[in-house]
Amino acid sequence: MTAPTPREAYQATNQHYELPAELFGIYLDRRLKYSSGLYPDEHTDLDQAQTNKLHFVARRLGLTGGERLLDIGCGWGSLILFMAREFGCRVTGVTPSGPQADHIGAEAAKAGVADLVTVERGSFTDVEPAGRFDAVTLLGSIVHMPNRTAVLRKVHGLLRHGGAMYLSESCFRDQAAYEEFSRRPGTRHVTEGIFGFADMVPLSTLVAAVESAGFSLTGLADLTAHYHRTIEEWEQRVRAARDRVELIAPGMSEPLVRYLRTANAGWGYTTKHYALSARRSRLGPTEAP
């Protein structure tokens, strides 16, 4: 199969994120954070787990306050709104979705941080954020971008020297698993049926792209068990509110439950979820120290 162009992948993936915020509010946490939480113990609920994860990201980036941060694939704004409120960061989010951009603008105004929050609507391939950033985040977004090395090189160019990147992504556990399972019906239901386009690759492929883009790897954490529990909670919420799901998005409850079950079935067997941090420690050919 021929890989899609960045524009084709963007158009296909955007369909999922154009769904209304009310649908995601049924099964996500109060911030509508659409990625793994962090559960230190069995008593932690979904809202606290997602707050824990945002603090974890801040620590991995080394944020102390006032940094300029870019979030690629910012979703409903959970990360950029948190970093603006808690750390006074000047944040820019990139999203393909009009509903997401509108939601973030409204939430930023409500929280009194509208002056710190900018949203760029479109594909990261096409968007050209102004200036340099102290930190860049990609939480579950690079899987939707067919040319990951080109994306990471662009990120590298947007970071100041010494700037930090945080990237979290689900990966096949090795190349053999990728070759065996990536084209199976269950996988394609998630990557194509739900998201339009996603290419989940082994961690080694992702690390190679990070290094090829000029980054130095500074940290790697296995968050597989945390994502398993996160998705368990999402599925429970969808199952308990099927009628509401159907009112908001008719016909969506069955494929949504199937997506969540499929995603959770492979953890540890075919798939893993990692948090990767890296730093721009190398100057470009035309840059002065």
Side-chain angles (χ1 to χ4, degrees):
M1 176 183 289
T2 303
T5 65
R7 169 58 50 181
E8 290 168 340
Y10 158 66
Q11 290 173 337
T13 304
N14 193 37
Q15 296 175 24
H16 181 66
Y17 297 105
E18 286 289 344
L19 293 167
E22 291 79 8
L23 172 64
F24 295 94
I26 290 173
Y27 65 100
L28 303 183
D29 65 301
R30 62 185 172 86
R31 291 191 177 91
L32 304 184
K33 184 173 172 297
Y34 204 6
S35 57
S36 175
L38 201 60
Y39 294 85
D41 56 53
E42 61 191 40
H43 305 294
T44 303
D45 64 17
L46 181 62
D47 280 331
Q48 185 58 53
Q50 295 294 18
T51 300
N52 294 342
K53 178 66 174 303
L54 291 167
H55 281 292
F56 174 81
V57 174
R59 290 194 300 273
R60 285 296 172 113
L61 292 171
L63 299 184
T64 58
E67 289 88 356
R68 191 160 186 253
L69 182 146
L70 173 67
D71 186 23
I72 301 165
C74 64
W76 299 98
S78 58
L79 187 143
I80 59 174
L81 292 168
F82 179 85
M83 299 307 177
R85 284 194 304 258
E86 300 296 321
F87 290 88
C89 289
R90 292 164 292 145
V91 296
T92 298
V94 179
T95 175
S97 166
Q100 288 183 345
D102 293 343
H103 175 83
I104 294 167
E107 290 298 309
K110 191 186 304 181
V113 293
D115 59 325
L116 295 175
V117 176
T118 301
V119 180
E120 301 273 5
R121 185 185 170 192
S123 166
F124 178 62
T125 304
D126 301 325
V127 167
E128 296 294 340
R132 289 290 177 89
F133 293 86
D134 301 298
V136 177
T137 52
L138 301 96
L139 277 69
S141 58
I142 202 166
V143 71
H144 301 305
M145 302 175 189
N147 193 335
R148 64 190 66 83
T149 300
V151 167
L152 290 166
R153 284 177 179 157
K154 182 174 179 178
V155 170
H156 187 272
L158 288 168
L159 275 169
R160 65 168 177 79
H161 180 57
M165 177 182 71
Y166 174 94
L167 186 160
S168 58
E169 196 54 81
S170 299
C171 300
F172 277 105
R173 63 175 302 127
D174 53 33
Q175 185 64 29
Y178 175 73
E179 292 171 1
E180 181 177 354
F181 292 99
S182 63
R183 305 309 300 166
R184 288 196 174 186
T187 305
R188 292 184 66 173
H189 170 69
V190 175
T191 58
E192 299 174 15
I194 295 295
F195 289 115
F197 172 80
D199 185 19
M200 188 169 60
V201 296
L203 174 65
S204 55
T205 301
L206 200 54
V207 170
V210 169
E211 292 178 333
S212 294
F215 284 99
S216 298
L217 193 68
T218 57
L220 183 66
D222 182 347
L223 302 183
T224 305
H226 298 278
Y227 214 169
H228 183 277
R229 183 164 166 189
T230 302
I231 295 178
E232 276 188 337
E233 294 212 34
W234 290 351
E235 182 188 342
Q236 290 169 7
R237 292 178 176 211
V238 172
R239 287 167 58 83
R242 281 180 181 265
D243 290 346
R244 287 179 59 208
V245 171
E246 288 299 314
L247 281 173
I248 296 167
M252 192 65 191
S253 61
E254 188 282 328
L256 189 54
V257 168
R258 185 183 170 201
Y259 145 56
L260 296 170
R261 286 178 175 172
T262 301
N264 250 5
W267 292 129
Y269 173 55
T270 58
T271 52
K272 303 280 285 180
H273 188 77
Y274 296 101
L276 182 155
S277 53
R279 194 164 294 279
R280 183 186 177 184
S281 57
R282 190 177 74 192
L283 290 173
T286 61
E287 295 176 292

